[in-house]
Amino acid sequence: MFLSHIHHQHLVPGVAISALAAAVLLSGCGQEAPAPQAQATPVDVAVVKTMEVPIVSNLTGRVSSTRVAEVRPQVSGIIQQRLFVEGSTVNQGEQLYQIDPALYQAQVSSAEANLKSAQANLYATKLRADRYRQLLSNKAVSKQDYDDAQAAYLQADAAVKAAEASLETANINLAYTKVYAPISGRISKSNVTEGALVNASQAEPLTTIQQLDPMYVDLGQTVEDHLALRQAIATGNFKTNDGKAPVDIYFSNGQKYNHQGLLEFSDVTVDETTGMVNLRAIVPNPEQTLLPGMFLRGDLHEGVIPNAVVIPQAAVIREAGGLSYVYTIDENNLAQRSIIEIATEYDGYYVISKGLKVGDRVVSSNLQKIRSGAEVTEAQDAPQGAETAAAASADGNADA
């Protein structure tokens, strides 16, 4: 019992000394250092402001010619010649085809002969009518004879006029054997060759000419966007461009077209097949780069929103369900979640229609590191102590 008591007295001081040494060793390695206080998260801060924001509608559409002419024969006959190169540019009034004129030349000759015969008969009946007028004054002929002579003269005069009309018709038909270009433009392939029989009532055109400068670009705008725009104009929240709205044209590969177009008109009906409102822009095409049927994108500059409330896009968090929010900073430098509504976007900014006011401060960086109620500080005002302490702790661990 005594030995046991002595043994216990000797062991306790040794354990105490070991524990003290371990504590000193751990303290030297830095593992017993007190936990640092939470630091305010450094963030970039954007102040809500107003600016004049242009409204640009991104639309799609197709190119069409401003003028299209289907060349058709106006008389029947055999095609003798095709006088143009397919796919070339032709000028208005340029001859394209020659139809066999022999039959129509004969009709002209016949009409000329009929006219001369009618003119000769008119001459004879006029002389008789004049003579009977003199004889009637002398009571040498009866009134009936005079009336008959006068009627014959009038009939002969009408026959001359009819013969003149027939001759004019024959000359017109003869002229129609030469088929001319009704407009200037690019001519397509010919649907007939030499020797083909054509007639004035045929359904198929001989060829087609399309004017390629300028060109139409027919765009489609959704009914919702169209109605929202009209409502914004009515309430004064939107100012339209004076005159015709400009349109920037882009090809399907994203390349911008060299010439800017102008909005020509907006349709008053909705296309039942697409549910879109049709808009038409007229676009210069001096190099004939645009071709009918080409698919394009048009950015329509419809006007501006004066004093629009804007924030940088980097400050906005958009969720898949359509919810958008930002973190605003209150007077205590605490981040607060604020739900917003976005009207449109422009040049790296979102136009805010609801949820913010001018002068509000919003977080625009480190959004993934903060939550509502978290303390934040502007990045340029962030204390350097946190970084220094972190570096010193890393050095201490390395030495250990």
Side-chain angles (χ1 to χ4, degrees):
M1 182 66 127
F2 179 73
L3 291 174
S4 174
H5 177 68
I6 294 176
H7 180 69
H8 178 72
Q9 286 180 335
H10 283 281
L11 288 179
V12 170
V15 172
I17 293 172
S18 298
L20 179 62
V24 172
L25 179 62
L26 291 174
S27 177
C29 292
Q31 294 185 9
E32 289 297 324
Q37 295 182 351
Q39 296 289 333
T41 304
V43 296
D44 292 325
V45 177
V47 179
V48 179
K49 62 180 182 179
T50 61
M51 62 185 298
E52 189 176 82
V53 175
I55 294 301
V56 181
S57 296
N58 304 123
L59 310 175
T60 58
R62 291 194 179 275
V63 180
S64 62
S65 300
T66 50
R67 301 173 70 191
V68 180
E70 293 184 338
V71 180
R72 299 180 183 275
Q74 294 179 276
V75 293
S76 301
I78 302 296
I79 297 292
Q80 284 188 333
Q81 288 180 292
R82 172 171 64 86
L83 303 171
F84 65 91
V85 177
E86 294 174 319
S88 64
T89 299
V90 297
N91 296 318
Q92 182 178 358
E94 182 178 337
Q95 186 177 357
L96 306 177
Y97 295 95
Q98 176 64 58
I99 299 174
D100 186 2
L103 176 63
Y104 300 99
Q105 183 63 62
Q107 291 176 353
V108 169
S109 299
S110 176
E112 288 175 344
N114 290 336
L115 176 59
K116 289 181 179 180
S117 176
Q119 288 172 338
N121 185 46
L122 175 64
Y123 178 72
T125 54
K126 184 177 184 304
L127 291 178
R128 182 178 300 171
D130 291 342
R131 188 161 53 249
Y132 272 44
R133 186 181 301 109
Q134 293 176 358
L135 293 175
L136 179 63
S137 62
N138 297 329
K139 300 186 182 301
V141 294
S142 65
K143 183 68 165 61
Q144 183 63 50
D145 290 338
Y146 168 75
D147 290 341
D148 291 342
Q150 191 67 25
Y153 166 70
L154 294 176
Q155 288 177 349
D157 184 60
V160 168
K161 288 182 171 57
E164 289 174 345
S166 296
L167 177 59
E168 183 177 1
T169 301
N171 280 320
I172 290 173
N173 289 335
L174 178 60
Y176 282 159
T177 61
K178 295 182 178 181
V179 181
Y180 297 99
I183 63 172
S184 299
R186 183 77 62 84
I187 194 165
S188 65
K189 68 180 182 67
S190 176
N191 295 322
V192 296
T193 61
E194 289 84 351
L197 175 63
V198 298
N199 60 78
S201 60
Q202 69 180 43
E204 185 181 33
L206 302 179
T207 186
T208 303
I209 302 174
Q210 300 187 69
Q211 180 176 313
L212 299 184
D213 184 26
M215 297 288 279
Y216 287 138
V217 177
D218 295 318
L219 306 166
Q221 187 178 45
T222 64
V223 176
E224 293 77 13
D225 289 345
H226 186 73
L227 292 178
L229 177 63
R230 295 185 62 177
Q231 183 178 6
I233 295 173
T235 56
N237 296 329
F238 177 79
K239 294 181 180 179
T240 58
N241 289 311
D242 296 332
K244 296 181 179 179
V247 182
D248 292 328
I249 302 298
Y250 294 86
F251 296 104
S252 57
N253 62 0
Q255 180 183 356
K256 186 176 181 180
Y257 181 55
N258 293 332
H259 304 281
Q260 190 178 63
L262 293 175
L263 183 66
E264 188 76 358
F265 78 94
S266 175
D267 210 340
V268 295
T269 59
V270 178
D271 191 326
E272 295 180 359
T273 58
T274 62
M276 308 284 276
V277 178
N278 294 323
L279 310 176
R280 169 166 282 182
I282 187 166
V283 184
N285 191 31
E287 298 88 9
Q288 298 188 359
T289 306
L290 303 182
L291 299 176
M294 185 179 288
F295 181 81
L296 297 174
R297 178 171 64 85
D299 288 354
L300 176 61
H301 298 261
E302 298 185 271
V304 296
I305 301 176
N307 300 320
V309 177
V310 299
I311 57 173
Q313 293 183 3
V316 178
I317 300 173
R318 308 190 73 171
E319 295 184 345
L323 182 68
S324 299
Y325 62 91
V326 297
Y327 284 109
T328 57
I329 304 174
D330 62 17
E331 62 277 4
N332 297 320
N333 286 334
L334 300 180
Q336 304 294 338
R337 185 171 182 262
S338 300
I339 297 175
I340 61 173
E341 291 184 7
I342 298 174
T344 185
E345 60 182 272
Y346 168 71
D347 196 24
Y349 290 92
Y350 282 128
V351 178
I352 307 303
S353 59
K354 187 177 180 180
L356 293 175
K357 64 182 184 296
V358 177
D360 286 346
R361 298 188 301 156
V362 296
V363 178
S364 60
S365 68
N366 283 341
L367 296 175
Q368 72 280 4
K369 298 181 180 179
I370 60 176
R371 296 292 182 269
S372 290
E375 185 179 0
V376 297
T377 182
E378 290 195 49
Q380 62 270 25
D381 297 334
Q384 300 297 321
E387 296 180 1
T388 304
S393 176
D395 292 340
N397 290 333
D399 293 339

